[in-house]
Amino acid sequence: MGVFSFVHELKTNVSPKRLFKALITEPHDVLPKVSPSIKSVVTVQGDGGVGSINQTNFADGSPAKPMKNRVEFLDTQNYVSKITLIEGDAIDDKVEKVCYEMKFEDSKDGGCVLKINSDYHTKGDAVLKEEDIKAGTDYAIGIYKACADYLVANPHVCA
């Protein structure tokens, strides 16, 4: 097994607290509103905290399989989370799991810088390149941007 790491950064006009709540602790309330491709986000095991498993269900007719994430670490004071993708389209004959560490940091202008470290744990001697994961990464970044836009337009949400 190998581990291939990728780093991504997204700057938004939303506070770390609000974006963290929207993406990490309250995705069931926000994500279906910001993306027509997401039907629901439900906790299928646990209470939403460490050890919980959340499932993202995609819109009817979508070719995407439901995605399951396990919460590994949650720091609601410093806006840091570690989540492992354990089921979904990214899990295939090459990839065993994907571990994400997400840090939501203050930017100088009152917004947030979202720093994402993604570790792809491969099966056997499989090798990944950034272009191998580009579609999934682009989709996720698009959701994060849509979420930030939704929060700017709705200042009462996740306040």
Side-chain angles (χ1 to χ4, degrees):
M1 174 183 2
V3 178
F4 295 84
S5 299
F6 302 95
V7 177
H8 302 282
E9 199 169 283
L10 175 66
K11 169 102 174 61
T12 73
N13 293 326
V14 179
S15 72
K17 176 183 177 181
R18 290 184 68 214
L19 194 59
F20 182 85
K21 285 176 78 173
L23 292 175
I24 305 301
T25 62
E26 299 178 17
H28 54 281
D29 288 332
V30 179
L31 294 185
K33 294 174 184 167
V34 304
S35 174
S37 66
I38 297 176
K39 183 177 182 177
S40 64
V41 179
V42 294
T43 300
V44 294
Q45 180 179 315
D47 61 3
V50 173
S52 296
I53 296 177
N54 298 313
Q55 179 172 305
T56 302
N57 298 304
F58 295 96
D60 295 337
S62 170
K65 295 185 285 188
M67 200 170 57
K68 286 187 181 177
N69 293 300
R70 183 177 51 242
V71 179
E72 308 290 354
F73 176 81
L74 201 55
D75 182 341
T76 58
Q77 300 301 310
N78 294 304
Y79 312 119
V80 178
S81 69
K82 292 182 183 178
I83 296 170
T84 300
L85 176 65
I86 56 174
E87 286 182 29
D89 289 333
I91 307 302
D92 58 18
D93 59 336
K94 288 184 177 182
V95 179
E96 178 182 321
K97 64 183 177 180
V98 185
C99 300
Y100 301 97
E101 180 176 0
M102 300 175 75
K103 294 181 181 181
F104 300 74
E105 299 177 350
D106 280 316
S107 63
K108 295 176 184 176
D109 59 4
C112 171
V113 177
L114 171 55
K115 296 181 179 181
I116 307 160
N117 292 318
S118 307
D119 292 332
Y120 285 72
H121 296 256
T122 59
K123 296 175 182 175
D125 59 356
V127 176
L128 293 179
K129 297 179 180 121
E130 193 158 5
E131 55 266 18
D132 294 335
I133 62 156
K134 184 171 178 15
T137 300
D138 290 349
Y139 174 78
I141 295 294
I143 296 290
Y144 304 156
K145 286 179 182 178
C147 187
D149 291 345
Y150 177 79
L151 294 174
V152 167
N154 297 279
H156 63 285
V157 175
C158 296

